[in-house]
Amino acid sequence: ITFMKAFRFLFFRFEPSAYYFGTALLLRNLMVCLVPVVIRDDTALQILVVSAIMLVGAIAQCLLRPWRNYMANILDGAMTGCILLVLVCGAVIGGYTASAATTQAMSVLVVVVFLSMWVGLIAWNFFKQLNPSDTYDVLICHHKVGGAAQARLVKLMMAEQAGQRIFMDSDIQHLDTLFDTIKAKVRHLLVYLTRETLMHPSCAGEIVTAFKTGKKVTAVLTP
């Protein structure tokens, strides 16, 4: 508890899933400060390196959205964009020119990074197609009011005894994502039938989607 109180400034402003972002911000600021120390005589290269550091930070911030407050995420991204704009304007107004060696090295680096991203993305897609680790064995369809606790118990028992990958429809918030998941990533739909199940649009949609795509469907009838 003493440790948490002493270092809470590092993580109390961020979401629990991104508690480490405070340390990442400190590391980013340190790298920006070290650029003029490491690169002394090439102003154009300094601007390029600082821009690259800020760009990586902006991408991480957009992906993680670490701040607890929604507006803080927007302001952080906007401020980083403004800093990048200031760097670009300063480079244009100042008339800085990079040496031929610097220009060649940065051009090669940009091309290598760009090609590596595309090759990595293609390789990752092939890997996911050949190893569909995100496929679920069973999806439990249920109504939250009538059978949330019972369906959760069924999930725990099946996962423990069968060792299968099982999840519940309530774990997915958006209906479009839920139906696409049933189409592409679910082998077996288990319908926990209560009085309210078939009256709920999302439950009915899950059952229809499973039948249309030829999935195995099992109904568990409850009183």
Side-chain angles (χ1 to χ4, degrees), residues 5 17 61 89 110 113 116-117 131 140 151 158 200 206 223:
K5 289 182 178 180
S17 58
Q61 190 271 331
C89 292
V110 170
V113 171
S116 300
M117 290 174 58
N131 300 279
I140 300 178
M158 291 181 63
H200 197 277
E206 295 171 36

Side-chain angles (χ1 to χ4, degrees), residues 51-127:
S51 300
I53 294 172
M54 298 302 297
L55 181 60
V56 172
I59 294 173
Q61 190 271 331
C62 292
L63 291 175
L64 297 174
R65 288 181 291 182
W67 300 94
R68 289 181 180 271
N69 187 276
Y70 176 75
M71 286 302 300
N73 288 300
I74 296 178
L75 290 175
D76 189 11
M79 290 177 62
T80 304
C82 291
I83 293 174
L84 290 173
L85 184 60
V86 169
L87 288 172
V88 173
C89 292
V92 173
I93 296 173
Y96 301 112
T97 57
S99 62
T102 300
T103 304
Q104 183 178 4
M106 293 304 298
S107 300
V108 171
L109 179 62
V110 170
V111 172
V112 169
V113 171
F114 182 77
L115 292 178
S116 300
M117 290 174 58
W118 277 103
V119 171
L121 180 61
I122 294 172
W124 176 255
N125 286 330
F126 273 111
F127 176 78

Side-chain angles (χ1 to χ4, degrees), residues 7-16 18-19 21-26 29 65-70 72-73:
F7 294 96
R8 67 186 298 269
F9 70 94
L10 289 174
F11 49 81
F12 80 100
R13 297 168 294 174
F14 306 106
E15 294 287 348
Y19 65 91
F21 200 76
T23 305
L25 284 179
L26 293 176
N29 296 337
R65 288 181 291 182
W67 300 94
R68 289 181 180 271
N69 187 276
Y70 176 75
N73 288 300

